[in-house]
Amino acid sequence: MGEVPRSHPRYNSLIARKLLTDAADDGLLADSALIAHGRGEAYDYLLGEKTSASALLSIKQAAAVMKNANKCVISLNGNAVALAAENLLRCATILQCPVEINIYYRTPERMKALLSRLEKVRQEVMKSKKPDGWLGNWEEDVLAVPILGAEPNGRIQNLDGPRANCCKEGILDADVIFVPLEDGDRCEALMNMGKTVIVVDLNPLSRTAKMASITIVDELMRVGSVLIDELVKSDCKINEKWDNKLVLDAALNEINSNIQN
Ligand code: PTJ
């Protein structure tokens, strides 16, 4: 794919596709990554390709829960690195929490490629403008974010195969995990370990969306910048009566009303 013209009516969608196809060329993605993205795109179409009011509520709740965590971790798979590595690294910087590369289809080649891409992204984020409202030393704070995943020393309980590998200092010991585009089995296994699991999934009917503690039914690239804004605010309050089913129902209603109009 050549340059994407800014004026194109489907600019954002084309940019996402380009990020993913370039990432595939660089060996970052699972074979099925583009299929997963296509499913997401279809739901995004039905949702009107915007952050809905209920998705914003989920992002606010996610920010409050992450800020109040004992140990938070941001888990990244191939698609998440391709689409949103910069902003998710910014979120980890604000939270001063680790990011962990944790992939479903684990191969040593992909792990190496993803870890080296994240280190490259770290250099770019260090040089980038710090988020409005951030009072720390941005360069030092970005540099301090642990990037985990190279040497897994733990396992997600009751899950078979290499997809269960994880890091003790990251996913294993965390009480709050932000894990975009997670699969249903792992989400269930993490919930069974007593963790608070925050997912980003455009499909409100997926097992992951239904299983998680907090589901953000929105597109990951859009979520990143909104989440940063929420994390730098000092007045993040947890809604103790959070009912995740309400945001899933709201997303389905949104789809219904978009179909009817
Ligand atoms: O890098 P790996 O090996 O961990 O593999 C990553 C994929 C995404 C291939 C793997 O986790 C997978 O197969 O995922 P699923 O089970 O297809 O689920 C992906 C979910 O994410 C689907 O419900 C999609 O609707 C949703 N989705 C896809 N792209 C986006 C998205 N949600 C938000 N933003 C997106 N950009």
Side-chain angles (χ1 to χ4, degrees), residues 88-108:
L88 294 177
L89 206 49
R90 288 188 179 98
C91 291
T93 304
I94 296 163
L95 290 162
Q96 287 293 287
C97 79
V99 296
E100 178 169 341
I101 302 281
N102 193 269
I103 55 179
Y104 189 103
Y105 301 102
R106 182 182 275 267
T107 65

Side-chain angles (χ1 to χ4, degrees), residues 96-126:
Q96 287 293 287
C97 79
V99 296
E100 178 169 341
I101 302 281
N102 193 269
I103 55 179
Y104 189 103
Y105 301 102
R106 182 182 275 267
T107 65
E109 295 77 18
R110 280 190 69 210
M111 287 302 295
K112 195 166 163 235
L114 285 163
L115 286 159
S116 97
R117 168 65 70 93
L118 260 196
E119 284 299 349
K120 209 167 137 206
V121 168
R122 188 210 290 275
Q123 296 304 316
E124 287 158 19
V125 172
M126 278 169 67

Side-chain angles (χ1 to χ4, degrees), residues 28 30 32-33 36-37 39-40 43 77-79 83 102-106 110 181-183 186 200-203 206 218-221:
L28 303 185
S32 57
H37 185 73
R39 177 155 56 188
Y43 276 100
N77 65 11
N79 291 47
L83 294 175
N102 193 269
I103 55 179
Y104 189 103
Y105 301 102
R106 182 182 275 267
R110 280 190 69 210
L181 278 65
E182 180 57 305
D183 83 277
R186 281 205 317 191
V200 180
D201 193 331
L202 280 159
N203 177 2
S206 76
D218 197 4
E219 203 284 318
L220 178 60
M221 290 171 79

Side-chain angles (χ1 to χ4, degrees), residues 8-95:
H8 197 286
R10 300 208 45 75
Y11 177 79
N12 290 338
S13 161
L14 293 181
I15 286 290
R17 288 179 177 197
K18 180 156 172 46
L19 288 172
L20 285 165
T21 48
D22 285 353
D25 287 347
D26 293 342
L28 303 185
L29 300 188
D31 289 345
S32 57
L34 299 181
I35 300 171
H37 185 73
R39 177 155 56 188
E41 271 195 345
Y43 276 100
D44 204 18
Y45 229 95
L46 294 169
L47 286 158
E49 297 179 310
K50 58 180 186 328
T51 301
S52 65
S54 63
L56 184 58
L57 280 183
S58 293
I59 296 173
K60 284 178 184 286
Q61 177 75 351
V65 167
M66 288 164 94
K67 280 182 82 158
N68 284 286
N70 288 326
K71 281 190 176 180
C72 181
V73 64
I74 297 180
S75 174
L76 298 175
N77 65 11
N79 291 47
V81 169
L83 294 175
E86 288 85 356
N87 275 342
L88 294 177
L89 206 49
R90 288 188 179 98
C91 291
T93 304
I94 296 163
L95 290 162

Side-chain angles (χ1 to χ4, degrees), residues 133-208:
W134 180 249
L135 301 174
N137 180 323
W138 184 245
E139 276 200 35
E140 276 177 20
D141 295 339
V142 176
L143 197 57
V145 171
I147 296 179
L148 307 175
E151 284 159 21
N153 52 1
R155 286 187 64 80
I156 300 171
Q157 289 160 19
N158 299 317
L159 205 60
D160 298 331
R163 66 186 173 149
N165 292 345
C166 67
C167 293
K168 181 163 167 37
E169 323 74 69
I171 289 176
L172 200 63
D173 280 354
D175 57 331
V176 175
I177 306 185
F178 180 89
V179 53
L181 278 65
E182 180 57 305
D183 83 277
D185 273 8
R186 281 205 317 191
C187 184
E188 185 172 14
L190 292 168
M191 291 291 293
N192 286 340
M193 286 168 81
K195 298 176 187 302
T196 299
V197 183
I198 303 168
V199 299
V200 180
D201 193 331
L202 280 159
N203 177 2
L205 297 168
S206 76
R207 280 187 66 230
T208 302

